[in-house]
Amino acid sequence: MGPPKGCIDDLAHLSDLDEQMILKELKERYERDVIYTYIGDILVSVNPYKELNIYGDAIGKKYAHIKEFKDLSPHMYAMATKTLQNAQRNRANQCLLVSGESGAGKTEGSKMLVAQIVRLTNDSGFSNLHQKIVEVNPLLEAFGNAETVMNRNSSRFGKLIELIISPDGDIAGAKITEHMLEKSRVVNRWQGERTFHIFYCLFAGLSLNEKQRYYLNVPESYRIIEEGYGKQVFRSGLDYESYELRMEELRNIFNVVGFSSQEVDLILGLVAGILHLCNIDFVAEPEIDQVIIVNEDEIDYASTLLSLQPEDLATVLLSNRAFVRGERIVTLKTVGQACDGRDALAKVLYSHLFSWIVAQINIELDPNVDRRNNRSVGTIGILDMAGFENFPVNSLEQLCINTANEQLQNFFNEYIFAWELREYQGEGIKSPKVKFENNRDVLDLLLRRPEGIFAILEDECRLQTSTDQSYVDKLDQCLGKHSHYKKSKAREPVFTISHFAGLVKYNVQGVVEKNRETLSPNFTSLMENSQNMLIAKMFSIQMTESGRFDPQVALNGDHSWSAPEWSLPHRPDFGPGDSLSRQVGRRLKERASRERQQQMTGPPKNTTSAHFRVSLAELVEKLTSAEPHFIRCLKPNANQSPDNFDSKLIMAQLRSTGVLETTRIRKQGFPTRLPHHIFVERYKILGFPATAVIEPSFMRNACLHILKATDVRDCELGNTKVFLRYWQTDKLNLCLDVMMEELVTLQSVIRTFLARQRFLAIRKQHHNNQEMLANFGDFLSHENFKVFHMMVSSDDHDKLNYQTQVEEAQRREREIQEARRREREFQEAHRREREIREAPPTPHNLGFSGYYDHLEEDYDSPSPDYYNDSRSKQTPDHQVQFQGRHIPDVQGQRGQSSGFLYQNHLNQLLQKWGELDPDIWCKILYMEYDRPVAKFYILDREVKIDMSYEEFDGERIGLGVFRNSRRDAVTEEYRSYIGKGLKLRRDDDGSILATRIGKNDLVVKDWFDPANHCFSGDVLKHNGHLPLGEAVKVFDMEELKSQMGIKLKQGCYNEHISLLQHQSIVGISFVKDEKEIVTTPCWLLIINVTALARLKDPSVKNQVQQKLAEMTVLQKEDAMEEEKRRKEAETRHKTREWSKRNMRQGVIGLDAPLRKTRLDLRQKGEKINEHMLYSWDEQNFVGKEKHINLSGLQDDYEEVESMFGGPRRSTRQGARGTFSSGSSLYPGKSPARKNWAKIKSAIKEEQGKDDEEEIKAKMDRY
């Protein structure tokens, strides 16, 4: 007997395969809350519609090292684990396809798959990247999911999440591709449904102040979310709380994923702007024969949030303008056309916003995409597509969604059935008897060109006169005889298609116009000129054929945006019966009357169906290039209620998806088909040595040998491939894992042995060194008198050499000081001459007076001083402006140097020195050109400077709150790119470190002039640019001390104290640096108060002087040591007795055997060397042998190495370390006085009582 019902984890193991048996098995498991079941390597999931305690980290870790499916019960985690193992082992792309009807649990299943893969690749803890990947899904759901009659959280778009796997098995990044967003839901929805979640989150999750900022009223007053018939938008208190919690979660997710507060503000502002835009109502005014706007307040709100002019927005809403044959044509819209244009703008604006959010998420999930290149081993794609839908009224959106599901079902059929059966026939394998429903005909009906449903729709959109009924008529004419197409019996704009999941009736009312995406060029031009850079960029980026942003353009864009100032525009007073729309209408009518009216014709450039076809083709291409893993989700009932198993509904889904045929082919077939060479390459180690070389002609026999070695039976060997059942692959992989574990164990043992051998050798060497040191100590203890006598005898000689070297060093120092004095006098004279020559003209000559007074007034203007002292908590007034008078652009004024500006601000600080808090470590001035806007005194160790609008709290300086009446457009643009800005931190020694946080560039001013600043080497290394996320020391206290030391050594410290104070200032430019401060739009001037205090501190000056004295002593000692070595070399050279005794004494009467003398000797036949005397002649040594005793042992016994050929070397210990000196005057020679036997003789004479053996033993020990 077989196992009881509901106990079989794999339906392929059922003895009797029929629909009822499979249905009973699924029902039994569902009633026991077992919702997962295998069909071979395919997972079937039944939505429980309730929480089950089968998820989380503890359960996920159990499936972390699963080897075979049968080891643990079926689970989503098991599919994720096997997919990751395949990607790491086979180094090939993988794909998890989650399919099913709407409400079957596909979205939740996708999130579980992502969470498990992230959990498996992040053993060391949750990293930032892994957390972002997990949090992405709720963010996309808020903007891309909505409530339908079938699902409370239905995906209204398709997404493919690709996880990029690195060579070490970790996640290197991720990429999200969005497909077919149902943007029409923004303005149109059926009764009982809702638009996207984010619109409801605004009203439930925003505070009162935030709602006022976005001009939001009660939710029932907005057309696209109101329920109608006086119903409340939020159906209950729980409904309101759910959206409130979702908004709170969304704020946290924005922060985790990497969106700044400015970006979140912009996103929410655009969503609110869409609400106001869709609330604009139009009505025909018969008296003036034009369309007017009823609620013009909504025009003001929408234009303000979209950063547009109200007149421009009203103009494009009420009229069409185009150029035809060089003439501008203006046409006034009807009420219907105005409504269509308004809705089209709202749809495109929301669609662009959604695509931009996805593009920004991809930047955060894959920040190193350019540097990673091809270092990944593959990707794991997780596809979550909107499920099959059959509503009471189905339109173009349902047609696209069902076509996508039809394509996925076809891909499933092709991969599971068609391709597998063709492989059997081609390889000569007996095919199992399986019948399956091929939906290729339905796909041809939908996508074939030129007679498919979508192709005919695109043709109709090219005709200006086409209607919905004409489209249906053409469908009936071209496709009326198709077996899967059924036309309407009545003359209605409807037709029916027989899909794989059943019959669906489509209503095409409004489909033609909806497919055209009628966003006129006037709207596009208007949005491109928006003052909101985000909107302008979204409408300027090139769109791909699939209707998405171009990835290259989107990824290379800026990630920092400035929040616009949203304030209502000033509207002029209108007379009685007059309004903004009436004035706009009158101007349009006057313009239209002056121009010839023509009607625009021509096909639209893009259509929804065209974008859909391209996007679907790209998706299928990605799926085909990866190894798929299928997960079938089933919906147990239509009411979304728990513990309710509708057998009829389940059976319909089983039949439509071909579960019975899938079970049969998984039981009888061979889903794994590997070519011979790949099989051998992957599993060769199981049957052959690792170094074995297998010839191509032996591949088939090698496969048989491996299968026999692993005891794998009931498989087939084709002509070119090995056919394995789904469980046999797990068995082979398990054998491979066992062998790899054994290899790892063997390697660890060998490494342990080698490490122990190295340890023993090191320990033996250590013992030998200790023994040698002990022997040397014994020698010193026994021969201490002799050693002492030897050292004392050499001490006098060393003192004489040291005194000589000191005198020589003093002489050289006097010469250097004299040369420097003359150089300073020359430079001072040259500087004075240059100042006289380049002296600026007098105020009288310039034509104005009070220049310096003007600067003092400018710098001492009432710009606020801010302290981050937590005790006082002084905060800036948002309306405080810099009131200093603007310096006229007069030649000589605007060209002032940075040193002049720095000195002015430095003088102001020094004047207030006694009033400053002792904890202040720096003063920061925010500058625009040469004008200060705000000043800050910093006490906290760290401060962040960005473009936020937050008040100064001691830890953050928000530059957005400061206004300047003289700010120009260039400065405003540069400020918009500041973004997250930078972070300044004081180091322990008083240095200042700067870290760039934002995406845009930050440059240290005057980085190319390090001589007059205290930069670190990192500033010069990066050419003044601050790298992203890396702390760079923009002020180095050690460099300042070096400058102090130079001035102290030169003796001009007090005279140049102002120059040292000037070097305590650092400038940092935002976005772009200019050489002159008067051309730098916005920058920071930072004065290091700690450095100024160090300059005034006598103890710091004493430390520098002490260090300078130590360096001087070391230099003198080095010079003396060098002179000593030189004299020793000269002495050794002069005292060598084997050198030529008298090189100029040759023939009698001559000083030397010159060339003429040598010629004479050769003519006489005499040898020249007989007339040249050398010191090695025996008669020259009579009575001249040097007496060697212990007192001269130090001079003679210098090193044993001199007994061999080569230059002599002497190693001595100096003040700066060990030095080596050598003589190369006579390389290869060995002096006679270094003879070892003579040294022993000298010791024996001095020590008459010691015999030769005792001396030898002692010297050997030495």
Side-chain angles (χ1 to χ4, degrees):
M1 294 179 61
K5 297 290 187 299
C7 296
I8 297 179
D9 291 337
D10 191 349
L11 297 181
H13 292 166
L14 289 173
S15 56
D16 299 327
L17 283 180
D18 57 54
E19 293 179 345
Q20 294 300 324
M21 183 64 69
I22 293 175
L23 183 63
K24 290 180 181 179
E25 196 69 31
L26 292 175
K27 184 176 181 180
E28 290 287 338
R29 297 174 66 85
Y30 183 79
E31 291 175 351
R32 295 189 295 109
D33 288 338
V34 181
I35 62 174
Y36 296 118
T37 309
Y38 290 134
I39 302 177
D41 54 355
I42 300 172
L43 181 68
V44 176
S45 171
V46 184
N47 195 342
Y49 293 123
K50 64 179 180 180
E51 295 289 337
L52 297 178
N53 190 23
I54 58 174
Y55 305 105
D57 290 339
I59 303 297
K61 291 179 180 179
K62 291 183 179 179
Y63 287 86
H65 304 289
I66 185 174
K67 301 299 182 182
E68 297 182 272
F69 278 136
K70 65 181 181 180
D71 294 344
L72 293 173
S73 58
H75 205 288
M76 283 280 187
Y77 292 165
M79 295 295 294
T81 303
K82 295 294 292 183
T83 304
L84 179 61
Q85 291 175 355
N86 286 350
Q88 295 172 342
R89 181 185 295 113
N90 304 337
R91 295 183 176 271
N93 295 339
Q94 309 290 315
C95 185
L96 285 159
L97 275 70
V98 186
S99 60
E101 294 188 4
S102 179
K106 301 182 298 302
T107 300
E108 294 299 321
S110 300
K111 290 192 286 188
M112 295 174 193
L113 294 172
V114 172
Q116 177 66 2
I117 295 176
V118 170
R119 184 183 296 113
L120 297 179
T121 56
N122 193 39
D123 297 334
S124 60
F126 234 47
S127 68
N128 190 24
L129 175 62
H130 293 76
Q131 187 177 5
K132 288 180 180 179
I133 294 174
V134 173
E135 298 291 350
V136 156
N137 275 307
L139 175 59
L140 293 178
E141 287 179 12
F143 287 87
N145 287 25
E147 181 177 340
T148 66
V149 295
M150 301 178 64
N151 189 357
R152 296 188 184 94
N153 188 30
S154 176
S155 297
R156 309 319 298 165
F157 73 107
K159 66 175 178 290
L160 177 64
I161 303 177
E162 296 177 89
L163 305 178
I164 305 171
I165 307 301
S166 63
D168 56 358
D170 197 1
I171 295 180
K175 179 182 178 183
I176 297 176
T177 306
E178 40 114 359
H179 296 273
M180 302 164 288
L181 175 69
E182 187 188 355
K183 54 189 173 184
S184 63
R185 184 169 288 270
V186 175
V187 295
N188 294 318
R189 53 193 172 85
W190 302 110
Q191 187 66 29
E193 295 189 350
R194 283 179 168 178
T195 186
F196 297 103
H197 294 321
I198 185 62
F199 292 102
Y200 302 91
C201 293
L202 289 183
F203 294 97
L206 295 184
S207 64
L208 181 60
N209 291 334
E210 289 174 321
K211 291 179 182 178
Q212 293 176 353
R213 173 173 172 77
Y214 303 129
Y215 313 113
L216 294 178
N217 202 342
V218 294
E220 289 76 17
S221 62
Y222 293 94
R223 179 178 64 89
I224 63 174
I225 64 173
E226 59 93 15
E227 295 290 333
Y229 305 105
K231 296 182 179 179
Q232 297 290 327
V233 171
F234 297 102
R235 299 161 186 168
S236 63
L238 294 177
D239 188 27
Y240 182 88
E241 291 177 0
S242 65
Y243 282 106
E244 185 179 15
L245 293 176
R246 187 189 289 269
M247 187 62 189
E248 182 179 353
E249 180 186 11
L250 193 59
R251 292 180 187 270
N252 297 330
I253 293 174
F254 271 127
N255 184 41
V256 170
V257 174
F259 285 85
S260 65
S261 58
Q262 293 94 332
E263 291 170 338
V264 175
D265 186 28
L266 283 171
I267 292 171
L268 298 181
L270 292 183
V271 175
I274 294 173
L275 281 169
H276 293 295
L277 178 65
C278 295
N279 237 27
I280 298 175
D281 289 332
F282 304 95
V283 67
E285 184 69 44
E287 296 180 359
I288 59 176
D289 191 22
Q290 72 176 51
V291 176
I292 64 172
I293 299 173
V294 178
N295 47 352
E296 293 188 350
D297 288 342
E298 299 293 350
I299 280 283
D300 292 337
Y301 300 150
S303 60
T304 300
L305 293 172
L306 301 180
S307 299
L308 303 171
Q309 293 297 324
E311 295 82 0
D312 296 338
L313 180 59
T315 300
V316 297
L317 287 174
L318 298 177
S319 67
N320 277 327
R321 286 184 294 175
F323 286 90
V324 178
R325 297 179 182 177
E327 297 185 20
R328 185 173 63 176
I329 306 303
V330 178
T331 58
L332 296 177
K333 294 181 180 179
T334 63
V335 174
Q337 291 173 341
C339 292
D340 291 341
R342 173 202 61 197
D343 293 345
L345 177 60
K347 291 188 294 183
V348 174
L349 188 60
Y350 189 84
S351 175
H352 284 6
L353 175 62
F354 184 76
S355 297
W356 180 82
I357 291 175
V358 173
Q360 299 305 103
I361 290 174
N362 286 333
I363 293 176
E364 296 294 337
L365 296 186
D366 198 8
N368 299 323
V369 65
D370 295 330
R371 290 178 287 177
R372 193 188 64 251
N373 294 330
N374 296 324
R375 292 193 291 119
S376 63
V377 301
T379 61
I380 298 178
I382 302 173
L383 178 64
D384 178 20
M385 186 67 68
F388 191 87
E389 295 179 346
N390 189 359
F391 296 149
V393 179
N394 302 287
S395 186
L396 179 62
E397 293 76 22
Q398 283 68 43
L399 180 62
C400 293
I401 291 173
N402 293 342
T403 302
N405 282 271
E406 199 79 48
Q407 181 69 73
L408 293 180
Q409 179 64 25
N410 179 262
F411 178 78
F412 177 82
N413 292 338
E414 287 288 327
Y415 187 84
I416 298 297
F417 300 109
W419 293 347
E420 187 166 339
L421 294 177
R422 285 196 294 268
E423 291 270 6
Y424 295 155
Q425 295 176 1
E427 294 288 330
I429 304 299
K430 183 179 179 181
S431 303
K433 296 181 180 180
V434 177
K435 294 182 180 180
F436 66 96
E437 293 292 335
N438 195 337
N439 64 337
R440 185 72 255 178
D441 292 343
V442 183
L443 276 181
D444 292 339
L445 169 67
L446 294 166
L447 301 174
R448 184 179 57 187
R449 300 185 67 84
E451 295 182 352
I453 291 177
F454 285 100
I456 296 174
L457 177 59
E458 292 169 19
D459 291 340
E460 286 294 306
C461 289
R462 292 187 177 93
L463 302 176
Q464 197 70 18
T465 58
S466 61
T467 62
D468 299 328
Q469 188 60 50
S470 64
Y471 170 54
V472 174
D473 293 341
K474 193 168 183 180
L475 288 179
D476 294 342
Q477 179 183 354
C478 298
L479 306 174
K481 297 182 180 180
H482 198 283
S483 59
H484 295 278
Y485 179 86
K486 295 182 180 180
K487 57 185 179 180
S488 176
K489 296 181 179 179
R491 186 171 174 79
E492 300 178 319
V494 297
F495 62 87
T496 303
I497 297 178
S498 177
H499 289 282
F500 75 97
L503 295 174
V504 179
K505 185 178 181 180
Y506 296 99
N507 189 326
V508 298
Q509 184 175 1
V511 165
V512 175
E513 192 64 28
K514 188 184 299 183
N515 188 57
R516 282 175 176 156
E517 295 189 353
T518 54
L519 186 64
S520 67
N522 300 325
F523 282 111
T524 304
S525 176
L526 174 68
M527 306 310 289
E528 287 177 353
N529 292 290
S530 170
Q531 295 302 312
N532 188 325
M533 288 187 298
L534 174 58
I535 298 177
K537 188 173 183 64
M538 287 193 304
F539 281 83
S540 301
I541 291 179
Q542 181 66 33
M543 305 296 289
T544 63
E545 294 182 356
S546 59
R548 296 189 296 270
F549 284 153
D550 187 348
Q552 299 299 327
V553 178
L555 289 178
N556 293 334
D558 297 325
H559 199 187
S560 298
W561 310 93
S562 63
E565 289 295 332
W566 288 327
S567 58
L568 291 177
H570 174 70
R571 178 184 293 178
D573 296 332
F574 298 110
D578 199 4
S579 64
L580 174 64
S581 58
R582 287 183 171 88
Q583 287 189 359
V584 171
R586 285 197 297 270
R587 288 198 298 268
L588 292 173
K589 290 179 65 176
E590 293 174 0
R591 188 178 303 164
S593 63
R594 294 193 303 264
E595 300 171 351
R596 182 166 53 91
Q597 295 289 332
Q598 295 186 7
Q599 184 174 359
M600 294 186 300
T601 60
K605 296 181 179 179
N606 297 305
T607 61
T608 301
S609 58
H611 292 163
F612 166 73
R613 287 191 300 100
V614 175
S615 178
L616 187 61
E618 293 175 356
L619 177 61
V620 173
E621 183 180 359
K622 287 185 178 181
L623 298 181
T624 307
S625 63
E627 179 182 348
H629 305 269
F630 297 99
I631 299 174
R632 288 294 194 179
C633 296
L634 303 179
K635 183 169 61 173
N637 58 78
N639 302 324
Q640 304 182 24
S641 58
D643 301 325
N644 183 7
F645 191 88
D646 189 345
S647 299
K648 292 183 178 180
L649 182 60
I650 291 290
M651 180 60 72
Q653 297 176 72
L654 294 177
R655 289 173 179 173
S656 63
T657 56
V659 171
L660 178 61
E661 291 77 11
T662 303
T663 306
R664 182 174 288 110
I665 198 170
R666 277 293 178 262
K667 180 176 182 178
Q668 302 176 4
F670 304 93
T672 302
R673 304 176 290 278
L674 298 176
H676 290 165
H677 66 281
I678 295 180
F679 181 84
V680 172
E681 179 183 356
R682 186 177 300 176
Y683 302 109
K684 181 184 72 172
I685 197 173
L686 298 178
F688 297 93
T691 57
V693 178
I694 300 176
E695 299 295 333
S697 59
F698 190 70
M699 286 294 177
R700 181 181 176 86
N701 295 332
C703 294
L704 288 173
H705 182 74
I706 294 172
L707 293 173
K708 184 177 180 180
T710 54
D711 194 24
V712 175
R713 303 175 184 178
D714 195 23
C715 60
E716 294 289 344
L717 197 63
N719 298 329
T720 62
K721 294 184 178 181
V722 179
F723 290 79
L724 302 172
R725 303 191 186 278
Y726 65 91
W727 54 269
Q728 292 173 339
T729 305
D730 293 339
K731 182 177 180 180
L732 288 172
N733 292 334
L734 180 61
C735 295
L736 196 62
D737 292 340
V738 171
M739 179 164 289
M740 294 304 296
E741 292 175 359
E742 294 175 351
L743 288 176
V744 171
T745 303
L746 179 61
Q747 289 178 353
S748 64
V749 172
I750 295 176
R751 290 194 178 99
T752 303
F753 172 77
L754 296 177
R756 182 169 180 79
Q757 292 298 111
R758 288 194 296 270
F759 167 75
L760 294 176
I762 294 173
R763 188 174 66 176
K764 182 178 180 181
Q765 182 66 30
H766 178 67
H767 290 166
N768 293 339
N769 294 339
Q770 287 182 334
E771 184 178 356
M772 293 174 62
L773 186 62
N775 293 336
F776 180 69
D778 293 342
F779 171 77
L780 292 180
S781 62
H782 290 84
E783 309 296 338
N784 51 8
F785 174 76
K786 300 174 183 178
V787 174
F788 175 76
H789 182 69
M790 178 179 62
M791 296 178 63
V792 169
S793 62
S794 63
D795 186 56
D796 296 336
H797 178 71
D798 293 340
K799 288 181 179 179
L800 179 61
N801 289 340
Y802 178 76
Q803 183 178 0
T804 304
Q805 292 178 359
V806 169
E807 293 176 354
E808 181 66 21
Q810 291 176 351
R811 183 184 62 80
R812 292 181 181 177
E813 183 68 21
R814 288 193 296 270
E815 293 177 355
I816 293 174
Q817 293 292 340
E818 181 65 21
R820 289 178 178 174
R821 185 187 63 78
R822 291 195 297 269
E823 181 181 0
R824 287 197 302 271
E825 292 177 354
F826 174 78
Q827 291 178 353
E828 182 67 18
H830 182 69
R831 184 183 62 80
R832 292 176 180 174
E833 180 182 357
R834 186 174 67 252
E835 288 179 353
I836 296 174
R837 186 173 60 253
E838 298 178 356
T842 63
H844 177 73
N845 295 333
L846 288 174
F848 67 97
S849 61
Y851 169 58
Y852 293 101
D853 293 340
H854 186 141
L855 283 178
E856 285 297 322
E857 179 185 353
D858 200 9
Y859 295 143
D860 292 334
S861 60
S863 57
D865 290 355
Y866 303 131
Y867 292 82
N868 65 341
D869 192 350
S870 59
R871 295 163 292 184
S872 59
K873 284 296 178 182
Q874 296 181 357
T875 57
D877 186 356
H878 286 204
Q879 305 303 322
V880 172
Q881 301 183 10
F882 181 70
Q883 302 296 336
R885 292 187 290 114
H886 180 66
I887 301 176
D889 192 5
V890 180
Q891 184 178 3
Q893 279 184 294
R894 304 296 289 175
Q896 62 176 315
S897 64
S898 60
F900 180 79
L901 179 69
Y902 291 175
Q903 191 62 42
N904 273 275
H905 289 293
L906 189 61
N907 291 339
Q908 293 180 35
L909 180 64
L910 295 177
Q911 291 174 3
K912 300 180 181 179
W913 186 263
E915 304 173 3
L916 296 181
D917 192 309
D919 292 334
I920 294 175
W921 63 273
C922 83
K923 176 182 179 181
I924 300 177
L925 293 94
Y926 169 57
M927 309 288 296
E928 292 182 0
Y929 297 109
D930 54 353
R931 300 186 296 272
V933 178
K935 309 172 188 177
F936 307 87
Y937 292 90
I938 308 303
L939 291 92
D940 290 347
R941 185 182 181 90
E942 188 175 281
V943 62
K944 181 179 179 183
I945 305 171
D946 57 14
M947 197 54 196
S948 66
Y949 289 80
E950 299 179 4
E951 295 182 346
F952 177 54
D953 58 355
E955 299 178 353
R956 167 178 287 186
I957 299 176
L959 301 181
V961 302
F962 301 107
R963 299 180 181 178
N964 185 2
S965 60
R966 299 186 179 277
R967 183 176 296 151
D968 55 10
V970 176
T971 305
E972 193 68 41
E973 181 180 2
Y974 274 54
R975 280 168 53 87
S976 66
Y977 288 97
I978 293 177
K980 298 180 182 178
L982 75 158
K983 178 174 64 178
L984 296 178
R985 180 168 63 86
R986 177 179 63 85
D987 207 352
D988 294 335
D989 64 345
S991 302
I992 298 178
L993 292 92
T995 305
R996 178 163 67 92
I997 306 175
K999 298 290 185 180
N1000 295 313
D1001 202 5
L1002 296 174
V1003 187
V1004 180
K1005 295 194 68 64
D1006 299 332
W1007 64 267
F1008 47 83
D1009 185 20
N1012 294 320
H1013 298 81
C1014 294
F1015 302 144
S1016 66
D1018 291 339
V1019 175
L1020 304 179
K1021 175 183 176 182
H1022 298 288
N1023 293 334
H1025 297 267
L1026 298 183
L1028 179 62
E1030 180 180 345
V1032 175
K1033 193 175 290 186
V1034 297
F1035 181 89
D1036 193 349
M1037 186 63 72
E1038 294 299 322
E1039 183 66 21
L1040 180 63
K1041 292 181 179 179
S1042 300
Q1043 298 289 345
M1044 294 172 62
I1046 293 174
K1047 303 304 178 185
L1048 288 172
K1049 189 173 183 181
Q1050 294 176 352
C1052 56
Y1053 181 83
N1054 295 328
E1055 292 82 359
H1056 290 170
I1057 187 66
S1058 61
L1059 179 61
L1060 295 175
Q1061 292 174 345
H1062 187 279
Q1063 294 183 358
S1064 66
I1065 300 178
V1066 181
I1068 299 178
S1069 299
F1070 289 110
V1071 182
K1072 183 181 179 182
D1073 184 43
E1074 299 291 346
K1075 187 174 182 180
E1076 298 293 336
I1077 58 174
V1078 293
T1079 58
T1080 306
C1082 50
W1083 57 289
L1084 297 177
L1085 192 150
I1086 306 168
I1087 304 177
N1088 193 335
V1089 180
T1090 303
L1092 295 177
R1094 297 286 173 85
L1095 292 175
K1096 294 176 177 292
D1097 190 354
S1099 62
V1100 177
K1101 182 178 178 181
N1102 294 336
Q1103 292 177 4
V1104 175
Q1105 289 176 334
Q1106 182 180 359
K1107 187 66 176 180
L1108 191 63
E1110 293 175 358
M1111 293 175 60
T1112 304
V1113 172
L1114 291 177
Q1115 291 176 355
K1116 292 180 179 180
E1117 289 179 355
D1118 292 345
M1120 294 169 59
E1121 188 70 22
E1122 181 65 23
E1123 182 66 19
K1124 178 181 178 182
R1125 290 196 299 270
R1126 186 184 62 79
K1127 290 185 176 182
E1128 287 178 353
E1130 293 178 356
T1131 302
R1132 286 195 300 270
H1133 174 65
K1134 293 178 180 179
T1135 58
R1136 285 173 177 160
E1137 298 296 335
W1138 50 267
S1139 62
K1140 293 184 178 181
R1141 184 179 54 187
N1142 189 352
M1143 300 182 62
R1144 309 305 292 175
Q1145 291 295 328
V1147 182
I1148 298 174
L1150 298 175
D1151 291 338
L1154 301 178
R1155 180 175 180 82
K1156 183 177 180 181
T1157 307
R1158 290 196 298 270
L1159 293 176
D1160 294 338
L1161 292 175
R1162 289 176 181 173
Q1163 290 177 359
K1164 294 178 182 180
E1166 297 180 2
K1167 295 182 178 179
I1168 299 176
N1169 57 2
E1170 294 179 357
H1171 297 269
M1172 301 179 67
L1173 301 180
Y1174 292 88
S1175 60
W1176 53 74
D1177 295 340
E1178 293 181 359
Q1179 61 270 21
N1180 294 324
F1181 282 91
V1182 177
K1184 295 182 179 180
E1185 286 191 9
K1186 184 178 180 180
H1187 179 70
I1188 303 175
N1189 53 25
L1190 285 178
S1191 63
L1193 184 61
Q1194 175 65 23
D1195 294 331
D1196 294 338
Y1197 179 58
E1198 292 181 357
E1199 54 187 355
V1200 180
E1201 288 81 351
S1202 60
M1203 292 294 296
F1204 304 95
R1208 300 174 65 250
R1209 300 187 59 83
S1210 176
T1211 304
R1212 306 180 187 273
Q1213 185 73 23
R1216 297 292 299 273
T1218 303
F1219 300 90
S1220 297
S1221 64
S1223 175
S1224 59
L1225 297 175
Y1226 298 95
K1229 300 292 185 177
S1230 177
R1233 65 188 180 91
K1234 284 301 185 75
N1235 190 289
W1236 187 253
K1238 292 183 179 182
I1239 295 175
K1240 292 196 295 183
S1241 299
I1243 297 175
K1244 189 173 181 180
E1245 290 176 3
E1246 190 76 13
Q1247 236 180 11
K1249 61 182 179 180
D1250 294 335
D1251 55 22
E1252 186 174 356
E1253 288 76 13
E1254 182 180 359
I1255 294 296
K1256 181 178 181 180
K1258 292 181 179 181
M1259 295 307 299
D1260 289 341
R1261 289 196 301 272
Y1262 178 78

